Amino acid sequence: MMTRRWRYLAAGAIALSVLFGLLAHQWWSGKGSEAELEGGPISLPSTRGEFALSQLDEEQLAVVFFGYTWCPDVCPMSLAVVRQVRQQLSDPRREQVVPVMISVDPERDTLSRLEEYLASFGEDFIGATGSIEQIKEIAERYGVVWRKVEASESAMDYTVDHTASLYLVDRHGEIRRRVLHSPTPGPLKAALNDVLDAM
């Protein structure tokens, strides 16, 4: 009897582990497969005035990241990876890569806050924000999942769980590649070189 009960408990634990793994993958990677992502235009107020993907040249790519300035770890790590990869590119190729961070915390991330935050990663980094409705609409098209999590014991009041993928997007809003979160520059560098070589 006890053996059967332990089997049920073990099966339940495995099922929960699989479920939590799937949920974690969705948060980190985003919704839908790469082929299913709609992408499309992005036009938002930014630290460089009104930013739009259509402002890019035909041979340029935006590396779009959805995050927020109060993020304790994932955001600074991802932005540091983007900075590392751009530094490793030749000058002409570096000019083809436009890093853009879209805030999923528009309540706190003003343009001045974004400008100050991104300055530590490089003067070429663009911060963009807008209304919650604007961000939700863009996030849905890019398969980005995000939600506020109350943190009453923290001075921040709340944190934001969000997809940590990087999106390589051209001026037409086509997602050329989605790069899953990595603490090392290898995956992003390989993806960028592949896409830029094909442009």
Side-chain angles (χ1 to χ4, degrees):
M1 192 72 169
M2 288 297 290
T3 303
R4 184 176 298 174
R5 181 177 297 173
W6 280 112
R7 285 177 182 165
Y8 289 147
L9 287 172
I14 291 171
L16 282 173
S17 296
V18 171
L19 176 61
F20 286 137
L22 289 171
L23 289 173
H25 181 268
Q26 184 184 64
W27 279 110
W28 286 108
S29 305
K31 296 187 296 183
S33 68
E34 192 169 302
E36 295 171 336
L37 299 178
E38 179 184 347
I42 295 175
S43 181
L44 290 168
S46 83
T47 52
R48 300 282 187 84
E50 190 71 17
F51 170 80
L53 287 174
S54 59
Q55 297 168 350
L56 300 177
D57 294 334
E58 284 290 347
E59 68 274 10
Q60 285 185 308
L61 280 176
V63 179
V64 179
F65 175 71
F66 294 80
Y68 69 114
T69 65
W70 302 89
C71 182
D73 42 30
V74 174
C75 296
M77 182 183 296
S78 294
L79 293 168
V81 164
V82 176
R83 178 184 61 191
Q84 282 180 300
V85 170
R86 291 187 77 250
Q87 288 173 340
Q88 294 170 11
L89 298 175
S90 64
D91 289 345
R93 185 147 280 194
R94 188 181 305 121
E95 292 178 6
Q96 292 180 263
V97 179
V98 181
V100 180
M101 175 178 165
I102 297 176
S103 174
V104 292
D105 186 13
E107 296 175 46
R108 293 185 296 193
D109 282 344
T110 62
L111 291 177
S112 59
R113 166 80 181 175
L114 282 166
E115 185 173 26
E116 180 182 356
Y117 178 76
L118 291 173
S120 60
F121 298 99
E123 59 182 18
D124 294 328
F125 280 68
I126 298 171
T129 187
S131 67
I132 292 178
E133 290 73 23
Q134 285 177 299
I135 303 302
K136 282 183 176 179
E137 192 271 333
I138 294 170
E140 180 65 27
R141 289 191 279 109
Y142 279 76
V144 172
V145 183
W146 59 289
R147 66 173 180 182
K148 285 174 63 173
V149 179
E150 298 301 325
S152 55
E153 297 180 4
S154 169
M156 292 192 298
D157 294 329
Y158 66 87
T159 59
V160 183
D161 286 343
H162 62 89
T163 296
S165 294
L166 298 166
Y167 299 83
L168 309 188
V169 192
D170 64 24
R171 71 185 308 273
H172 306 289
E174 179 183 348
I175 300 173
R176 296 294 191 95
R177 195 73 62 86
R178 176 174 65 182
V179 182
L180 302 184
H181 173 71
S182 171
T184 61
L188 176 60
K189 185 176 182 180
L192 270 173
N193 283 325
D194 284 348
V195 175
L196 290 171
D197 285 344
M199 293 181 75

